[in-house]
Structures are given as structure tokens and as C-alpha cells.
Amino acid sequence: MGFDWVLARDEVAATRHRERRPGTTAAWPQWLSAEAVDRLREAGYPEPWRHQVEVAESLFRGTHTAVCTPTGSGKTLGYLLPIIAATTEGTVGFTPDTHRTMLTRARHTALYISPTKALAHDQARAAAALGPSGWRISALDGDSDATERAFARDHASFILTNPDMLHYSVLPNHRRWSGFLGSLRYIVIDEAHRYQGLFGAHIANVVRRLRRLAAAYGAEPVVALSSATAPNAAEFGGLLIGEDAVSVVAEDTSPAGPRTVALWRPQQSLRSDTAELLAGLSDDGCQTLAFVPSRLGAELVSLQAQELAHDPSRIASYRGGYLAVDRRELEAGLHDGRLRGLASTNALELGVDIAGMDAVLVSGYPGKLSSFWQQAGRAGRRGQDALVVLLANDNPLDAYLMEHPELVFDAPVERAVLHPANPRVLGLHLAAAAQELPLTADDVRWFGETTPGALAALATQGVLRDRGGRYFWTRHDRAVDFIDLRSVGQRPLDIVERDTGRVVGIVDAEAADRTVHPGAVYLHQGESFVVDALVPEEHHALVVAATPTYYTQPQAAFDIEIVRETTHRPLGITQVCTGDVRLASQVHGYLRRDEVTHEVWDSTPLELPLHRMVTQAVWWTVPAALAARLGWQPLELGAAAHAMEHTAIGLLPAFAPCDRWDIGGVSTALHPDTGLATIFVHDGVEGGSGFAERGYEVAEEWLAATLERLRRCRCEDGCPSCVVSPKCGNANQVLNKADAAELLALLLDSD
């Protein structure tokens, strides 16, 4: 496969080539029956790879196990082998109490959990192809009808579902599921690395509730975690499932063909360069997949590529929200070669089951190395050459990576961050758990050492009732209905087209003031609307269809108060701190900007409520002696701190598994709590998500990278690749890039 014309372009900043690698096989496990082995061989698996057997043996022995090998390495077969043995032949290698070897014909069940319905259905089909005929497999989700749910509950041996179905349906109705839960031997948590931040905290508590109920019915299931490679997989896996010991299988022993990874600095624009490469590679006969950050972007890249391609009918787009029949048509087109080019959001990672593309384009760094290598893993098939191109976006992180390709090619993927003890999340799930079964002091085993204090607080608030050390839910409604697994606080708002009543989208309540304030331009799947009214008390915003030639940018005021400093340590000539902060924010107006020139047309004031939340933050200060030596006016010092804050936020995703939308910042020339100029970077959700704490841990490396980006960016006064931020509440006013670089250098004492 010829990629020379791509690799010879001036836009290529660096490349890395991987040679062909042979695979290493192992014998089938002795406890797997001859019939099962014959079926697997018929399905195209003459022998398993060594890491697949290591995973299977570890799970069979009763050890919670994480398999962390790349996309396409065969993780599925590893955890399916003991599940097939248990659920179809009654063979398990442990008992809940003794972990002694046993052979029994009692009923055994297994449960698979994935982030999406689509992936669960794909895995159900894959399992059916590998297991014996008549294996009772059921995909269970919100679309399942009453008959399908009854079959899964009463007859299925292997159920494939998603966290939402567990949370809203299975766990609250656990008595009807007692047979399945009491015989549960294995739980599979697929795409485990996706359960980070706030979403991860919720899922960690759902898993704890699941394991608690299984134990109440006499089962102690073994957990398999399937994940992208992570340096702290054992620690993260333990946090996710609530255990100290998780074994890790990380060596990939499957074969791999040659592959070249290239870093690309766009010369036109990110979208245009992506479309050009997609069209050119498709015309060359290369099946090419372009990952694009947004739904609208995927559609626009596809349209532009079709205009450039010789045969536009062979290029399509894919995004979330497609019907199953549409996904199957796209999948079939990729498998039979009718489709050569596809522009997609990351929904494809968990939607269509494809691997083995000739080329993968990643349009803008996806924020995490784990996500990048997950997407890159789609490239390579039948031992042929494969190409991966990472195209840089116009922001500090992408620019920094283009100058440091070793951070893409050689660095380990990020440590996975999880904070399941987030009090705002834990309290909600303790309430749900109490409704499922009354809670006692023994439930520290499942929910951690902060459980007694949280239970006492819930009882004081009247959420639970304490009856002699047993905590009960006393309301008639369901506790789970007060929990949104992807947020805390209020339920999302519907975005409703005023003239038709059509719901065109949803938005988190916390983001509503910034996104759908009156007068805001709202884009959805290629359509544009102007917000007519925001009605938070009725949980909706009304919009009207429009085609304005401007876009809107909210203006907001922020205030931050230190609630509790957890710890601090020296950083250069200053110190870095972490702890809890109280953030107050208010959108007070918006700008209208020309969609072509970005010039400000006007400013419109708004009267919207003040919002407060307590979250986690990392902060550092400018010592009084340094401020006096510089002799800057407060406005000058504030402009330097503001620019430093923006660049630091843009680069934190290089050191923590987040993106810039997961975090925020506040900087001030004189903060009342510190008495000094102070720069804060905080988590964007109530209670914290662990990202700011990770920033504290790596502050030296993180801020050194911030200083380098400030110094090396080629612009004169600041640009999106350094200090200009798309999420600035002050519309990027009062920024000074040069002073930010000087100030940070002095703070770090780097000269």
C-alpha cells in the first residue's frame, strides 16, 4: 500500500514506523471442553494468543483481572473462554468462599457491561459466533420489550447490557433478578478506561451496588476489565470495582503488520487538510477512516472530501444517533469495499465493529493518548502496511505535541483518574443502595471508609432513616430516578423548537446559561437556531430556526473561595496547593461575533442567576516580593496571570486524562484568601473529578510545558495555539502572553 505521497508532504512534522511483529500462541486451557475448542477452531481460531490464555486462566482461578492490550488484539476471546466454560458447561475454577477448584453442573451466569447499547449488541453477536449453538445469550437495554426482558431475567446465561440499564432497571428490581444475581460468576466491564471523571465515579458506585446485591444472594463474581493500556491499570481497576487486588495482563502477543504514524501540521485548516487526505487516500484505493471531533465537523469533512474525490459515492459520514440499520449498512459497505472513506465522530469507536482499515486520520488530538491509540488501532489488516495521521488542531496541546513527538510515540498513556468517593456522587448511590437493601456498617466493604460519615449526613438531612444502625430509604419514589449517571444536580434541559415542538437536543443544567441563554446561536447536526427563551424551572429552552451570519460568545464573571487546603509543597520560588474551593459564576451578557472575521458586532447584557458549587482545585501564587520587584500594575499582573491560566488549562490534558472542557480556571491579581496574585485550575463538576488533584501531582512537568508553549509559539500577542481560549468567560480580554512567560519563568526559577 503506497503512502509515500502523504509522508513526503511538508506538513509532516514527524513519523514513527513499526515493523511487522509475529504472534505467540499457547495451548487451549485444559478446563475448556473439546467441543468448545472445536467450535472456536471452526470460527477461525486454530490456537489462542498467549495473552488470551493468561487472561482466561487468571479469571478461571478467581482473580479479578484487567486485560490492557491494543485494539484488535483479541481481548474478547480471553474473557469469553471462562464464561463459555461456566455458562454452557457448568465448569468454574473457584467457589465464592474458598476459591477451591470445583466442577459442578449448577447454573452459572455472566454479565457484560459496555458504555453503549451498540457495542453490547455487537459483542452479543461475536459471542454467539464463538460459543456453542443454543447458548442462551441476551442483549438487554432500554429498547428491549417485555418478552426480551423476561427471557433475559429468567433464562439467559450471558446478558450483555449497559450501566444505565443496570442502574435504572435491574438493581432497583433485584428481587425479580435474584436467580440471575445469585448464580453470577463473571462480570465483564468493557472499555473500562472510559469510566473516568464524574461518569466513572457514578459507574464505580453502580458496580459496587451490583456486587453488593450479588453477594446478598450468595454470589461473589469475578470481574474482568477490558481496557486500553494504562500505567496504573491495577490501581484504577481496583478503584472502579472496589477491590485492592486486580491482576493485569498487558503484553500483546497477537501479530501486527507494519504501520507508520505521522504527525501533521495543517497548512490550510484542520478540516480542509483532513478532507484532502480522506479524498486522496480513498482515491488510491485505501480504506480510510477519519475521526473528527464533532458531529457537524464529521458531516462537513465528508462533504468536502466528496467534492474532492473522483468517486464521491464511496465516501460517507458517521455520527452518534444513527439507527441500527444505518450502522449495519455502513459496516457492510466497509467490509465489502463499497465504502473507501468514512468521516466519523468517536461514536464509531463504540458503534460499528470494524478494524483493519488501511489508514486512519485523527483530526485533532482527542485529548488523551489512550483515545488516540484506540483510534489508531483501527489501522492495519491482513499484514499490509497501514498509516495513521494525527492532524494538529489550533490549540496549545496540539501545538506542543507537534514539537514533542516523543510524547505521542514514546510516552505511556495517561494514568486513569477516578474519584468514586466524590461525596455528591457517593451520597446519591448510598441512597439508592439503601432502597435496594438497608445499609449497615458492614457496607464499608463495598463503598469505602467514608461510608459511615456519609450515612450519618444522609440521615441528618432526612434522606435516610437510621433504625439502630440500619439505614433505610423512606420515600415512596425511586432513589435511582434522582441520579443522572453523567452529571450531578439537576436533570438536563430539553432544547425545543418553538414552532414545531421538536426536541432538537439536550444540555446539562450546569451549562445551560452558557449554551442556550436568550439570544444564543445554537448549532445541531448542521442546523442553526437562535434561542428565544431559557426556562430552567420547566427544564427546557425554546429555539427558532435561523441562519445568522454571526456566532455568540457568553460573557461571565467568576469568583473563587478557598474552602479547605488539603496539602501544599514547594514549586520553584512559590508553592503549589490543592484542596476544595467554592466557585461562583454568572453569565452577565454575550457578544455577537462575525462568523468570518470574528470581529465583535456588539454586546448584550443578560440577567441570569448566580451559580455556586464546591469542587477541587490546584493553585499557585505570585510571592509578594516577586510582584514588588516586577513593579507591574494590578491590571498588568492580572493579564499575565490570565494568559498563564489559559495556557496551563490547554496543556493539562497532556498530563491528566481530561480535556479542556472538563476543567476551568480563575486568576486574579489579588485574591482575598491568599493576599497574593493567584492562579486556580479547578474541576468542572461539583465535588471534583480528580483532574485538578492530578495537576497538583505533576505540577513541575505541567507548568514547565506551559512555559515552553508560551515561549515557543510563533505569534506575537497570543493566539489559539497558546493563550486564546474558546471557553474564556471574559471573551479573551486582558491577556499578555509575553508577561505570562516572564512571570512563569520567574516562578519556576527556570533561568
Side-chain angles (χ1 to χ4, degrees):
M1 193 71 63
F3 304 120
D4 291 346
W5 70 270
V6 176
L7 300 176
R9 291 278 291 268
D10 293 338
E11 291 90 339
V12 174
T15 61
R16 176 65 59 86
H17 184 72
R18 181 191 69 189
E19 298 295 340
R20 187 186 309 276
R21 183 188 69 220
T24 303
T25 60
W28 293 104
Q30 293 184 354
W31 40 263
L32 196 62
S33 71
E35 292 80 6
V37 170
D38 289 342
R39 171 68 172 170
L40 290 165
R41 286 173 173 160
E42 290 172 2
Y45 293 88
E47 290 181 303
W49 307 119
R50 189 183 68 206
H51 70 272
Q52 293 172 326
V53 175
E54 290 175 359
V55 172
E57 293 284 9
S58 180
L59 293 170
F60 187 77
R61 292 192 301 268
T63 303
H64 303 302
T65 305
V67 52
C68 300
T69 55
T71 303
S73 59
K75 293 188 286 288
T76 299
L77 183 63
Y79 58 70
L80 275 184
L81 295 181
I83 290 176
I84 290 172
T87 60
T88 69
E89 300 172 348
T91 305
V92 295
F94 64 93
T95 64
D97 297 324
T98 65
H99 283 228
R100 292 177 302 187
T101 299
M102 63 173 275
L103 297 178
T104 175
R105 290 292 171 179
R107 184 191 186 200
H108 299 298
T109 59
L111 181 69
Y112 167 97
I113 307 168
S114 81
T116 67
K117 293 187 291 186
L119 183 58
H121 281 272
D122 282 338
Q123 288 293 300
R125 282 185 287 271
L130 297 176
S133 59
W135 189 13
R136 296 191 300 274
I137 299 174
S138 177
L140 179 71
D141 54 49
D143 296 332
S144 302
D145 60 28
T147 301
E148 292 169 327
R149 295 185 186 210
F151 173 82
R153 183 178 60 245
D154 299 330
H155 303 292
S157 299
F158 186 28
I159 293 177
L160 299 97
T161 189
N162 55 73
D164 302 88
M165 191 67 187
L166 280 178
H167 170 66
Y168 289 112
S169 183
V170 175
L171 301 184
N173 300 297
H174 61 89
R175 289 175 180 82
R176 300 182 67 188
W177 290 85
S178 59
F180 181 87
L181 293 171
S183 58
L184 189 58
R185 296 295 172 259
Y186 294 103
I187 298 170
V188 178
I189 303 177
D190 203 358
E191 301 289 341
H193 57 280
R194 293 186 173 271
Y195 300 126
Q196 300 187 46
L198 180 66
F199 182 43
H202 277 295
I203 302 311
N205 281 287
V206 170
V207 172
R208 284 158 170 74
R209 287 164 48 205
L210 168 65
R211 296 183 64 219
R212 174 177 180 255
L213 290 174
Y217 289 113
E220 291 279 355
V222 177
V223 183
L225 300 109
S226 177
S227 173
T229 305
N232 65 329
E235 172 197 1
F236 171 73
L239 283 172
L240 185 59
I241 70 173
E243 288 287 339
D244 294 330
V246 172
S247 179
V248 177
V249 176
E251 182 184 1
D252 180 12
T253 59
S254 66
R259 184 183 68 190
T260 300
V261 180
L263 307 186
W264 181 283
R265 287 192 183 97
Q267 294 301 309
Q268 304 176 60
S269 70
L270 176 62
R271 184 179 298 159
S272 296
D273 282 32
T274 303
E276 179 190 352
L277 290 176
L278 180 60
L281 289 166
S282 300
D283 284 344
D284 283 353
C286 302
Q287 278 203 315
T288 305
L289 173 61
F291 284 106
V292 184
S294 69
R295 294 180 174 188
L296 178 59
E299 293 172 349
L300 293 177
V301 165
S302 174
L303 289 172
Q304 191 168 347
Q306 288 170 353
E307 292 174 356
L308 296 171
H310 297 319
D311 186 353
S313 67
R314 307 191 77 166
I315 295 176
S317 65
Y318 179 92
R319 54 171 173 75
Y322 276 27
L323 298 175
V325 64
D326 298 323
R327 293 192 304 103
R328 294 299 156 223
E329 185 177 349
L330 287 170
E331 184 176 3
L334 290 170
H335 283 305
D336 64 23
R338 285 178 289 123
L339 273 182
R340 285 184 181 165
L342 192 66
S344 171
T345 64
N346 63 3
L348 191 64
E349 290 184 58
L350 301 178
V352 177
D353 181 20
I354 61 164
M357 305 296 289
D358 296 313
V360 166
L361 310 175
V362 182
S363 186
Y365 182 65
K368 306 173 189 175
L369 273 177
S370 57
S371 296
F372 170 68
W373 290 117
Q374 178 89 358
Q375 295 174 0
R378 298 291 186 183
R381 62 173 175 177
R382 298 191 299 271
Q384 296 178 344
D385 287 347
L387 175 69
V388 177
V389 181
L390 171 60
L391 296 92
N393 207 338
D394 198 10
N395 62 44
L397 179 58
D398 289 37
Y400 183 72
L401 294 176
M402 291 296 116
E403 295 168 352
H404 293 275
E406 72 278 3
L407 295 179
V408 177
F409 297 143
D410 302 322
V413 299
E414 307 86 355
R415 291 173 57 85
V417 174
L418 186 61
H419 183 40
N422 180 331
R424 285 293 299 275
V425 174
L426 178 61
L428 294 169
H429 287 276
L430 287 176
Q435 187 174 29
E436 290 155 5
L437 286 175
L439 288 161
T440 69
D442 293 339
D443 288 305
V444 167
R445 173 194 176 189
W446 304 111
F447 299 104
E449 297 300 325
T450 63
T451 302
L455 289 174
L458 290 170
T460 300
Q461 297 163 9
V463 176
L464 299 181
R465 181 172 298 169
D466 179 4
R467 295 176 178 169
R470 301 181 75 215
Y471 291 85
F472 292 80
W473 173 264
T474 59
R475 296 168 58 103
H476 295 295
D477 42 14
R478 303 192 331 155
V480 295
D481 293 333
F482 294 92
I483 304 174
D484 181 346
L485 295 182
R486 289 155 185 83
S487 69
V488 293
Q490 304 177 53
R491 67 179 177 88
L493 276 70
D494 293 328
I495 301 172
V496 180
E497 188 173 16
R498 186 189 62 190
D499 296 334
T500 65
R502 176 172 64 110
V503 176
V504 298
I506 60 173
V507 62
D508 289 340
E510 293 81 4
D513 286 0
R514 301 189 304 274
T515 307
V516 289
H517 58 75
V521 174
Y522 176 75
L523 300 177
H524 180 75
Q525 298 184 18
E527 298 180 87
S528 61
F529 303 87
V530 172
V531 178
D532 183 57
L534 172 60
V535 193
E537 63 275 12
E538 296 182 14
H539 301 286
H540 69 248
L542 298 176
V543 300
V544 294
T547 55
T549 57
Y550 62 88
Y551 63 95
T552 52
Q553 184 174 24
Q555 295 176 289
F558 299 89
D559 189 23
I560 196 165
E561 172 191 353
I562 298 172
V563 176
R564 179 176 65 96
E565 181 185 302
T566 304
T567 186
H568 66 267
R569 59 183 175 81
L571 175 71
I573 67 169
T574 184
Q575 64 180 16
V576 60
C577 313
T578 187
D580 297 330
V581 296
R582 181 176 291 106
L583 183 70
S585 62
Q586 184 175 32
V587 175
H588 58 77
Y590 66 93
L591 302 176
R592 293 197 303 168
R593 289 180 175 270
D594 190 280
E595 67 177 2
V596 177
T597 67
H598 308 295
E599 293 181 358
V600 175
W601 284 12
D602 53 33
S603 175
T604 302
L606 293 170
E607 293 185 6
L608 295 174
L610 179 70
H611 297 282
R612 292 185 175 90
M613 74 171 179
V614 174
T615 189
Q616 295 177 325
V618 54
W619 64 90
W620 58 98
T621 57
V622 179
L626 175 58
R629 177 155 59 94
L630 289 169
W632 292 346
Q633 296 297 315
L635 185 62
E636 295 175 294
L637 188 57
H642 190 195
M644 186 197 311
E645 170 212 323
H646 279 190
T647 309
I649 289 172
L651 280 171
L652 183 56
F655 302 90
C658 62
D659 64 39
R660 68 199 304 171
W661 303 100
D662 295 323
I663 51 180
V666 178
S667 52
T668 175
L670 180 64
H671 192 272
D673 291 333
T674 64
L676 302 168
T678 309
I679 299 91
F680 294 87
V681 175
H682 60 81
D683 290 332
V685 298
E686 182 84 32
S689 51
F691 301 137
E693 185 177 6
R694 177 61 179 162
Y696 173 82
E697 295 171 358
V698 297
E700 287 81 4
E701 299 90 340
W702 169 35
L703 294 181
T706 301
L707 175 58
E708 181 183 335
R709 181 87 291 264
L710 287 166
R711 284 174 163 174
R712 295 186 63 172
C713 189
R714 299 175 183 177
C715 70
E716 293 185 7
D717 300 320
C719 70
S721 292
C722 56
V723 302
V724 174
S725 170
K727 55 179 294 189
C728 178
N730 295 317
N732 290 293
Q733 299 175 13
V734 196
L735 295 169
N736 191 309
K737 170 191 169 186
D739 285 355
E742 180 181 355
L743 179 59
L744 184 53
L746 292 169
L747 288 175
L748 299 178
D749 200 21
S750 64
D751 295 324

